[in-house]
Amino acid sequence: MIELEGVPELIDPVMVAAFEGWNDAGDAASTAVAHLEREWKGEVFAALDAEDYYDFQVNRPTVFMDAGVRKITWPTTRLSVVRVGGEKPRDLVLVRGIEPSMRWRSFCNELLGFAHELGVELVVILGALLGDTPHTRPVPVSGVTSDPDLARRMDLEETKYEGPTGIVGVLQEACAHAGVPAVSLWAAVPHYVSQPPNPKATLALLNRLEDLLDLRIPQGELPEDARAWQVGVDQLAAEDSEVAEYVQTLEEARDTAELPEASGEAIAREFERYLRRRDVSPPGGKPRPAPGGSKDDEDDTED
């Protein structure tokens, strides 16, 4: 570990991680963490030593000019911290990097060592995968954990997956063995439009993270970008009758499978998010605080 600055003192910290590569369809997960860094002005305080974990023939360093001086950026994983304001401020430790080329267990142990030193109470790992999902419908986001008790408390699925895995799966299991509560949030990206960026999937991950942590995340330009992305894909699909027919087939399958979700928990989640963003009292309740924002932010719109 290369420490860029002293370790900060944190309040109720949660670690949120995402890695470019196999776990990051459409760059949706890594873009979500980058969005958090940008909106909350994250300060990088540490980076992993690139020599330990990356094959530079696979992930090559890049050269850039800084005030006329040539410098090199090495592929690595960096840690930054952001403070979310409100009545009960808390800190997020943001981990963003590239899936390592080697020594995955050491990589995870190093991240967990920092999590322990910082007093991290929960690790949330973001991922995105390709799936048979239509771009015209809400992005499915599943929340999974290896901890049965955590699954019950946070209304998550207990993972049953068997097969090849990436650094997201390995880090989650490392957390479980270390006794650190961990959750993975996965967004499904349409496989027929997999190239990045996918702002709609990024926005869906952030909405799910917002629900999970009960905080308010500034959306910035993401809702507008998501609408523009969908319009663009609509136009491309309309130009190819086979693609349009395939999308319609996916829509019918999705609508049939999710018909029960049109009521109950799905509506309740959307209503809770609406109240959080509008700082409105729930029926019979007291006004809600707006974690992570001020009254000036109340004009944010929900997509």
Side-chain angles (χ1 to χ4, degrees):
M1 176 73 72
I2 301 174
E3 295 186 31
L4 304 183
E5 295 181 11
V7 178
E9 298 220 351
L10 306 182
I11 302 172
D12 299 330
V14 172
M15 179 176 281
V16 181
F19 304 94
E20 300 173 20
W22 195 71
N23 311 271
D24 194 22
D27 289 354
S30 58
T31 302
V33 174
H35 177 86
L36 297 176
E37 288 179 330
R38 182 173 59 255
E39 292 294 325
W40 279 322
K41 297 177 175 56
E43 297 182 6
V44 175
F45 64 87
L48 276 66
D49 190 340
E51 293 279 351
D52 290 340
Y53 304 112
Y54 294 98
D55 180 346
F56 298 141
Q57 290 182 323
V58 176
N59 297 293
R60 293 186 178 273
T62 57
V63 179
F64 68 100
M65 300 296 293
D66 182 12
V69 179
R70 288 171 62 85
K71 294 185 177 180
I72 293 179
T73 298
W74 296 93
T76 189
T77 294
R78 294 178 173 83
L79 287 80
S80 61
V81 64
V82 298
R83 176 148 297 173
V84 183
E87 285 190 354
K88 295 182 179 179
R90 76 181 315 172
D91 291 304
L92 300 184
V93 178
L94 304 179
V95 179
R96 182 162 65 101
I98 305 168
E99 184 176 64
S101 307
M102 51 201 162
R103 302 182 68 221
W104 284 19
R105 285 175 291 187
S106 297
F107 179 88
C108 293
N109 287 338
E110 194 161 357
L111 288 179
L112 285 173
F114 243 69
H116 177 73
E117 187 173 351
L118 295 169
V120 166
E121 301 174 347
L122 174 70
V123 175
V124 182
I125 316 165
L126 307 183
L129 48 80
L130 299 179
D132 293 326
T133 183
H135 72 278
T136 53
R137 296 294 186 266
V139 176
V141 178
S142 57
V144 298
T145 180
S146 300
D147 185 335
D149 293 333
L150 192 63
R152 286 191 294 271
R153 291 201 314 270
M154 304 189 77
D155 192 24
L156 302 166
E157 299 176 32
E158 188 177 352
T159 180
K160 303 294 183 183
Y161 173 75
E162 296 179 309
T165 190
I167 193 62
V168 170
V170 172
L171 180 56
Q172 179 164 333
E173 289 308 301
C175 289
H177 289 303
V180 178
V183 174
S184 296
L185 301 181
W186 289 94
V189 171
H191 65 82
Y192 58 88
V193 57
S194 59
Q195 66 272 22
N198 189 318
K200 186 174 181 178
T202 294
L203 184 59
L205 278 171
L206 291 173
N207 283 340
R208 187 69 175 85
L209 180 66
E210 192 176 59
D211 294 341
L212 184 74
L213 301 182
D214 191 25
L215 51 81
R216 183 182 180 189
I217 297 174
Q219 294 186 340
E221 298 179 356
L222 270 176
E224 182 179 345
D225 291 343
R227 285 189 290 268
W229 176 87
Q230 182 161 324
V231 169
V233 179
D234 285 343
Q235 292 173 346
L236 291 174
E239 295 172 1
D240 189 318
S241 59
E242 291 186 1
V243 173
E245 184 177 348
Y246 179 65
V247 171
Q248 183 178 0
T249 300
L250 292 178
E251 289 173 340
E252 293 172 353
R254 173 77 178 273
D255 294 345
T256 300
E258 295 195 351
L259 188 59
E261 293 295 323
S263 60
E265 292 184 3
I267 292 178
R269 283 195 301 268
E270 289 302 315
F271 185 55
E272 285 290 323
R273 187 181 298 123
Y274 172 83
L275 293 177
R276 184 163 50 237
R277 290 202 166 279
R278 291 297 183 183
D279 196 19
V280 175
S281 302
K286 297 180 180 180
R288 289 177 175 268
S294 64
K295 299 285 275 187
D296 294 336
D297 295 324
E298 290 180 6
D299 290 333
D300 288 353
T301 57
E302 174 72 10
D303 185 27

